[in-house]
Amino acid sequence: MNGSKILSARLREYLVLGLVMIAPLAVTFWVLATVVLALDELIYRLIPVLRGVPDSIGFGLPGIGMLATFVALLGFGALAKTFAGRMFSSFIDALLSHVPVIRGFYGATKQISAVFFSQSPTSAFKKVVYVPFPGPGSKALAFVSSSIDEDNVFVFVPTAPNPTSGYVLRYHRSQLEDTTLTIDAALQLVISCGAVNPGKAYDSGKV
């Protein structure tokens, strides 16, 4: 009887360990496969002639959409460094800034991109603090965005695991609690839902 219980316990342990090992891999591959297939279908719709390529060479080309997206991003990045690219970007900015509704969405998206995809996100956020949110007794991680006046500031409270969405709140400086987290460390903490604490800190001082 004891032998069967030990065997049953071992089997459960192995099953759980197998799930723990395989589940992250399965989810990751599923997400990647979904993204690849979606990009492939998008590219095939934009360039229908590519649908005949797999038949002509005798095998499929999975990932052609992702490759095309990667190449396109590199192309736009290179174009943005040129005078023509800057002129085109200025033209698009001027055009969309006069279109109702779209100008608000485009402007907000551009600002968010500048904050989170720039090489120096620290230039957008001043420091990391804790604020009383969403209610009394709770503390949320927040980034000080800008000063309103001598006594009040705007802070950005990100949502996990997507730090590009969140809340812009106004707080009195006395309500802010200093942390020793760097901005990069705080972003990692948010993206990992609190599971990964980089542990690299600095004394942020007073707001």
Side-chain angles (χ1 to χ4, degrees):
M1 188 66 177
N2 290 335
S4 62
K5 287 184 177 179
I6 293 175
L7 178 60
S8 178
R10 285 288 178 86
L11 290 176
R12 286 197 299 270
E13 179 184 3
Y14 291 159
L15 178 62
V16 171
L17 290 176
L19 287 172
V20 170
M21 180 179 180
I22 294 299
L25 293 174
V27 171
T28 301
F29 281 119
W30 176 77
V31 171
L32 287 177
T34 302
V35 172
V36 168
L37 291 175
L39 289 175
D40 285 354
E41 184 61 28
L42 176 62
I43 291 299
Y44 285 143
R45 290 185 178 183
L46 293 175
I47 313 176
V49 70
L50 290 179
R51 289 188 182 274
V53 173
D55 295 333
S56 63
I57 63 177
F59 56 89
L61 294 173
I64 190 171
M66 183 169 290
L67 177 61
T69 302
F70 179 74
V71 172
L73 288 176
L74 287 179
F76 280 116
L79 179 64
K81 298 286 289 184
T82 66
F83 176 76
R86 290 192 293 270
M87 291 294 292
F88 177 76
S89 180
S90 299
F91 171 74
I92 293 297
D93 288 346
L95 178 64
L96 295 183
S97 64
H98 291 85
V99 180
V101 181
I102 293 180
R103 63 186 177 189
F105 177 77
Y106 175 76
T109 304
K110 186 171 183 177
Q111 290 176 1
I112 291 173
S113 298
V115 170
F116 289 98
F117 299 125
S118 66
Q119 295 181 347
S120 57
T122 54
S123 62
F125 295 135
K126 310 304 179 186
K127 60 180 296 185
V128 184
V129 296
Y130 288 115
V131 295
F133 179 84
S138 300
K139 294 181 181 179
L141 205 61
F143 301 97
V144 177
S145 302
S146 61
S147 296
I148 301 173
D149 51 41
E150 292 184 359
D151 298 321
N152 300 283
V153 296
F154 278 126
V155 304
F156 174 69
V157 179
T159 55
N162 178 19
T164 60
S165 66
Y167 306 90
V168 177
L169 304 172
R170 171 176 174 158
Y171 279 97
H172 192 276
R173 292 178 187 270
S174 62
Q175 295 178 281
L176 307 183
E177 180 180 333
D178 289 343
T179 74
T180 56
L181 287 170
T182 64
I183 293 173
D184 289 339
L187 286 173
Q188 292 181 42
L189 195 61
V190 172
I191 293 172
S192 67
C193 298
V196 176
N197 189 344
K200 296 180 180 179
Y202 77 107
D203 186 4
S204 55
K206 295 183 179 181
V207 178

